[in-house]
Amino acid sequence: MNTHVKEILVLGDGDFSYSNSLVSSSLECNLTSTVFLSRQEIISTYGNDVQKNIQSLEEKGVKVLFSVDATNLPPLLCNRQYDSIHFNFPHTGGKGKISENRKLLIDLFKSLQTVVKETGNVEIALLPGQGGTEADGQALRSKGNNWNIQEAAAISGFILYSVEKFGADFYNLTGYRGRSKAFFCDSGLRHKFKIQSFNSSSLTRVLKSTQPESYIQKYLENYSLASQSLSYRCNNNLGNFDELFSIYVNTNENECERASKRAKLEHQEDVGNHILKLTGLQSKKLIFYPFNKTKVLYPPCIRHDVSMWTESADTPNIVPVLLECVGLALHQVTKREPEPFFNTKTQKYSHCFSITYSHPFEALSEEYVKHLAHVTVRDCLAKSGFDLH
């Protein structure tokens, strides 16, 4: 088999016209096309013409499967991996069932975790307003009134990296109700996802060394390109994190020199100290990323609060601990109140912080951030000596 031939899986293809358009194009692929209904139900829903599409696919060597639940793939499909998986306009049927369609998407991504290749993608087409991302534009609905596709994907470690206009000219717009009740999807949006799950161990790497250049060299040996911009906006006494800084490190010596100049550093060995100065970290720490990471198109920002007692009215600096704990997932730290509350009985001051989590490269679901904030972060702060509420 040609190793460059793409393995493509199409789910819920209705009358199979979409799959026919794929194999009729110049795209060289091994295609598997599936529908939720049985063969008899498909013919009853879409009429006898659908048999022409099925016959055309089978004659071209396409594997056509019926009665396939996309949220619970059969072993025949689970025993292989695909370069690209397509599902156009998934729907549970009926109207006003946002919760059911959200669950459909959550279960769909969970089902696809093991069958998409590491370099592959998942493409889901939705109507404007359904997805709940900035790509919906003027059709964007409130959080409780959309399908929240990005959160559904993030639960299973998928990031949204692209949204494109859905091309509808090449196949019949039939929908799950048959051709007599077609729907209009000229303004549909194709959402593209790939797996880049959150892994705290990949976010921050600490190398204890008295010589900054030595650990910079270590990363030069391990990554052909590592780059990321960090921005922390903190108020009061939390430190000066308003400055946006970028450190680019490349195996090419000349590129390293240019990167240092872009970062306004005369020497590479100043990089580590520069980061220490900005972040207040006690250890010499660089936050790097492998060159092949894909950026999240719309990184969600998820906020959780944390409160603590101190014997002083001065604002405690929790940012270094948070950086050590969650790395690039830390987006913003702010104080809830300008002045701390003083408890006359305990003679201690109460400080409350709002911590916003976001990540430029990896999937962060609300479900995971809740665990991160209420378990991982609290544990790190407690171990660092902070007296939490």
Side-chain angles (χ1 to χ4, degrees):
M1 179 187 298
N2 186 347
T3 56
H4 297 290
V5 174
K6 283 191 172 184
E7 297 285 341
I8 297 179
L9 172 64
V10 177
L11 300 168
D13 195 20
D15 68 350
F16 293 103
S17 57
Y18 179 75
S19 295
N20 256 302
S21 70
L22 289 179
V23 295
S24 298
S25 68
S26 58
L27 178 65
E28 188 175 5
C29 63
N30 288 326
L31 180 65
T32 301
S33 183
T34 74
V35 289
F36 180 68
L37 302 177
S38 66
R39 180 185 285 265
Q40 292 74 22
E41 289 171 325
I42 283 291
I43 295 174
S44 174
T45 302
Y46 297 104
N48 291 327
D49 287 346
V50 73
Q51 294 188 86
K52 296 179 181 179
N53 285 336
I54 296 172
Q55 182 179 351
S56 174
L57 289 173
E58 292 178 335
E59 288 176 350
K60 294 173 182 175
V62 175
K63 186 176 293 182
V64 179
L65 301 177
F66 301 89
S67 303
V68 173
D69 182 354
T71 66
N72 185 21
L73 296 178
L76 178 63
L77 296 177
C78 291
N79 292 333
R80 60 193 305 182
Q81 289 191 313
Y82 299 88
D83 296 286
S84 190
I85 300 175
H86 301 217
F87 198 163
N88 296 323
F89 307 103
H91 203 288
T92 59
K95 293 183 178 180
K97 296 183 178 180
I98 291 176
S99 61
E100 291 184 12
N101 285 300
R102 283 186 174 184
K103 185 177 185 304
L104 169 63
L105 291 178
I106 291 172
D107 292 343
L108 171 65
F109 282 107
K110 286 181 178 179
S111 177
L112 301 182
Q113 274 181 306
T114 59
V115 296
V116 63
K117 293 180 180 178
E118 185 178 351
T119 57
N121 73 337
V122 174
E123 301 185 9
I124 310 291
L126 296 177
L127 296 177
Q130 290 179 336
T133 72
E134 294 177 32
D136 288 332
Q138 294 183 347
L140 181 63
R141 307 172 188 167
S142 62
K143 186 175 180 180
N145 197 31
N146 63 64
W147 297 5
N148 204 356
I149 190 172
Q150 193 162 222
E151 169 69 9
I155 291 173
S156 295
F158 288 88
I159 65 162
L160 174 67
Y161 69 91
S162 177
V163 179
E164 302 172 354
K165 184 178 179 180
F166 181 79
D169 298 333
F170 48 79
Y171 84 111
N172 297 319
L173 310 179
T174 54
Y176 63 89
R177 296 173 295 179
R179 289 180 175 172
S180 61
K181 296 183 178 180
F183 65 97
F184 296 98
C185 64
D186 290 346
S187 57
L189 299 172
R190 188 189 303 276
H191 303 72
K192 295 185 177 183
F193 301 86
K194 67 180 298 183
I195 289 183
Q196 278 182 189
S197 58
F198 180 83
N199 180 1
S200 58
S201 64
S202 71
L203 300 181
T204 60
R205 297 172 172 84
V206 179
L207 184 64
K208 296 179 180 178
S209 170
T210 57
Q211 300 297 325
E213 60 269 23
S214 65
Y215 66 86
I216 291 177
Q217 183 60 39
K218 180 178 178 65
Y219 286 103
L220 291 178
E221 294 170 357
N222 287 298
Y223 295 100
S224 60
L225 175 65
S227 65
Q228 179 49 33
S229 300
L230 302 178
S231 176
Y232 297 100
R233 297 171 295 280
C234 305
N235 58 10
N236 295 330
N237 298 322
L238 296 181
N240 180 18
F241 297 97
D242 291 328
E243 180 178 353
L244 177 66
F245 67 93
S246 302
I247 306 297
Y248 293 91
V249 182
N250 192 283
T251 51
N252 183 287
E253 186 175 349
N254 292 330
E255 177 60 25
C256 284
E257 184 178 349
R258 290 193 294 271
S260 297
K261 290 180 179 179
R262 286 198 298 271
K264 298 180 180 179
L265 303 175
E266 295 182 1
H267 305 287
Q268 286 185 50
E269 55 264 29
D270 292 333
V271 172
N273 292 328
H274 184 62
I275 292 178
L276 289 179
K277 179 181 177 182
L278 289 173
T279 63
L281 293 172
Q282 299 304 309
S283 60
K284 292 181 174 64
K285 171 181 180 176
L286 290 179
I287 302 178
F288 282 142
Y289 248 82
F291 69 95
N292 60 344
K293 288 289 184 179
T294 301
K295 292 192 71 173
V296 179
L297 183 60
Y298 306 117
C301 292
I302 306 168
R303 197 191 79 180
H304 285 274
D305 295 345
V306 65
S307 301
M308 60 192 65
W309 297 106
T310 64
E311 295 181 355
S312 169
D314 294 338
T315 302
N317 187 2
I318 64 173
V319 174
V321 177
L322 295 175
L323 279 172
E324 294 281 3
C325 184
V326 301
L328 292 183
L330 180 64
H331 177 67
Q332 186 174 14
V333 180
T334 58
K335 285 198 66 177
R336 290 292 303 274
E337 299 89 13
E339 298 295 331
F341 165 75
F342 181 68
N343 189 316
T344 55
K345 292 184 178 180
T346 62
Q347 295 292 300
K348 290 185 177 181
Y349 295 87
S350 175
H351 303 267
C352 183
F353 301 91
S354 286
I355 304 172
T356 304
Y357 302 87
S358 186
H359 202 286
F361 293 110
E362 298 189 351
L364 279 184
S365 67
E366 293 182 10
E367 177 182 294
Y368 183 82
V369 170
K370 183 178 180 180
H371 173 82
L372 189 69
H374 292 276
V375 179
T376 307
V377 168
R378 288 184 64 87
D379 184 57
C380 288
L381 289 170
K383 288 181 179 179
S384 298
F386 292 99
D387 183 13
L388 303 182
H389 287 195

